[in-house]
Amino acid sequence: MTEATGNGLLLEAFDAQLFRDSAETAVSKLEKHLADQSIRGLELIHPQELARAARALMSEDSDSIGAFDEEKLAAIIDLYVRTGIQVHSPGYMGRQFSGVVPLGGVVDFVSSVVNQPSSFYEAGQLPNVAERIMADELNRFIGWEPDSFAMVTTSGGSLANLTAMLAARNRDFPQYWTEGGAAFGDRPRPAIAVGADVHYSVARAAGVMGIGEAQLVRLPLNDAQQIDVAGVRPALAEAERRGLHVFCLVASAGTTPVGAFDPIDELADITREKGIWLHIDGAHGASLLVSDTHRDKLRGIEKVDSLTWDAHKMMFTPAPCTLLFYREKAHSLGAFRQTASYVFDEEPDPFTELDSGDKNFECTKRPMIMPLWTMWAVYGRALFAKKIDYLCALTQEAHRILDGEPDFRTLHSPEANILCFRHHPEGADLDEEELHRLQIDIRDRVKHRGSFFISKVDIGSVAALRVVMMNHQITAEHFRMVLGEIRRAGQEILSSKGRR
């Protein structure tokens, strides 16, 4: 290949017309994908087989620029779409990430092309303004005083939880940032109180912060799998006797296992009395705030110190898009205490006022707010509220269906769109271990069949089947079809073991 030919192919890779042709290929494939309402779950392919298929699509020439091949692009898109969880299908009931509102995907596509990192206003002007606008819009449902609070976007709820807990730690142990563990000397050791069902990212954050799981104070749960308010004060008193200083209590608005909402209002009264920072991991359930029907599940949210809110879950936005709210604006500056002349301006002005690089871990950050803001600007709150209301009502209907089936047991009353249950085949006398193993085997068999995708979770010491209703295309009839698949799988498993 001559130098001129090589330069031509370099220019072609950035050519606007080629971009249009490539985009049209992708849009055509995705349009077909979105229009397909067939019931499909997960097509599991062995990793080695998938790797062979992927490598077969790669150029073998590493020294020269390959010419664009539309058929190869089409094949890559087909492989990408086919091998993932089918989040837009009525067969998808397994996880907490959702199919996106298509407009959100379009804007995310624009963000990838214009490539405006949004931690600093000069790099992403509209994303930074959009963050401020969405903070104000969503605060109408939280209830803090305008201009007194702050919001910053982060890449995922795990990072948001870590950031909020850093801010809480640095408030009570201001020297910890520079001096590490030596900062508290002979003082009580820093500790975090959490519900026993708290998301694993909180325990992970404690390890990252150098606090350690031994200094997590596990709060008891009630029968609804919520933090038991009656057990909080005794647990905190016991922690104090152990020489621990609980600086933060992390509660959940929609736990991952069963979607339970901790009693925020009552917990806020306790933490205020004791001077403890209250952080709410609302990654899943904070979105219920935009629903008139379900907002009360977060009663007392205006009293908390910080809130994690994943828009890529119940706001149906491309991932990641996490919003981290602080009740006090000054607290948003407490997580990271650094100076860096190449990014932080010594003399703030109106153009740097919206910078968030000093408030979040990321320096280069996707303009993740843009899909959410655009959807809110075009459709308004009602789009999100109506879908949330439908999914929660559908989950309640699924619960009623299970109550009428003698070979199924519900394990909780669903508070949102997560429902856990077990299959107890009629006539099968199973001990706990056998029942546990049966639920896991059923879930795996249903998954491998590829029509439906459901998940599982351990409740107590016994596994349970778990559905998460994230798709408004799902109906009660689809859920009945899932139950039929579960029964069939259970019968096959027991027969293979000579039990039926």
Side-chain angles (χ1 to χ4, degrees), residues 98-105 140-141 287 290-292 311 313-318 371-391 470-473:
S98 69
V100 304
V101 179
L103 178 60
R140 293 192 290 121
F141 310 105
S287 297
V290 306
S291 163
D292 294 338
K313 290 188 170 72
M314 295 285 279
M315 299 289 275
F316 321 112
T317 301
L372 177 62
W373 172 70
T374 303
M375 292 188 297
W376 194 274
V378 172
Y379 298 119
R381 174 186 75 98
L383 172 73
F384 306 97
K386 287 183 181 298
K387 179 161 178 172
I388 288 168
D389 289 347
Y390 176 79
L391 295 175
M470 295 296 286
N471 184 354
H472 62 279
Q473 306 281 1

Side-chain angles (χ1 to χ4, degrees), residues 129-142 149-152 323 325 369:
V129 168
E131 280 198 18
R132 179 66 61 88
I133 292 171
M134 285 309 301
D136 291 337
E137 288 288 309
L138 296 177
N139 181 55
R140 293 192 290 121
F141 310 105
I142 298 172
F149 73 98
M151 186 273 279
V152 61
L323 319 174
F325 286 87
I369 198 67

Side-chain angles (χ1 to χ4, degrees), residues 334-408:
F336 308 105
R337 302 184 174 185
Q338 294 169 288
T339 59
S341 62
Y342 45 87
V343 288
F344 302 138
D345 285 291
E346 294 180 17
E347 299 179 2
D349 57 35
F351 301 107
T352 61
E353 181 186 354
L354 298 184
D355 287 355
S356 61
D358 54 349
K359 303 178 186 69
N360 60 260
F361 191 81
E362 300 142 294
C363 181
T364 302
K365 182 178 69 173
R366 280 186 63 81
M368 59 191 80
I369 198 67
M370 288 303 296
L372 177 62
W373 172 70
T374 303
M375 292 188 297
W376 194 274
V378 172
Y379 298 119
R381 174 186 75 98
L383 172 73
F384 306 97
K386 287 183 181 298
K387 179 161 178 172
I388 288 168
D389 289 347
Y390 176 79
L391 295 175
C392 291
L394 174 65
T395 309
Q396 289 290 342
E397 176 63 17
H399 185 266
R400 286 191 290 271
I401 290 170
L402 287 170
D403 278 346
E405 301 293 339
D407 54 341
F408 285 92

Side-chain angles (χ1 to χ4, degrees), residues 19-20 38 53 62 79 116 121 140 155-156 164 199 216 233 236 251 253 260 265 318 358 387 424 442 464:
F19 163 74
R20 182 184 183 91
S38 63
S62 61
L79 189 62
Q116 297 179 2
Y121 181 80
R140 293 192 290 121
S155 295
H199 192 264
L216 286 180
R233 282 189 173 86
L236 294 176
D265 205 22
D358 54 349
K387 179 161 178 172
H424 290 246
I442 286 173

Side-chain angles (χ1 to χ4, degrees), residues 250-292:
V250 180
S252 299
T255 59
T256 299
V258 301
F261 285 72
D262 290 326
I264 296 171
D265 205 22
E266 293 89 341
L267 293 173
D269 291 340
I270 295 172
T271 52
R272 282 191 173 186
E273 170 193 321
K274 296 185 171 294
I276 295 172
W277 181 298
L278 178 58
H279 174 66
I280 303 300
D281 180 2
H284 185 77
S287 297
L288 270 63
L289 285 169
V290 306
S291 163
D292 294 338

Side-chain angles (χ1 to χ4, degrees), residues 146-165:
D147 300 322
S148 71
F149 73 98
M151 186 273 279
V152 61
T153 58
T154 71
S155 295
S158 297
L159 189 54
N161 288 337
L162 171 61
T163 304
M165 291 160 64

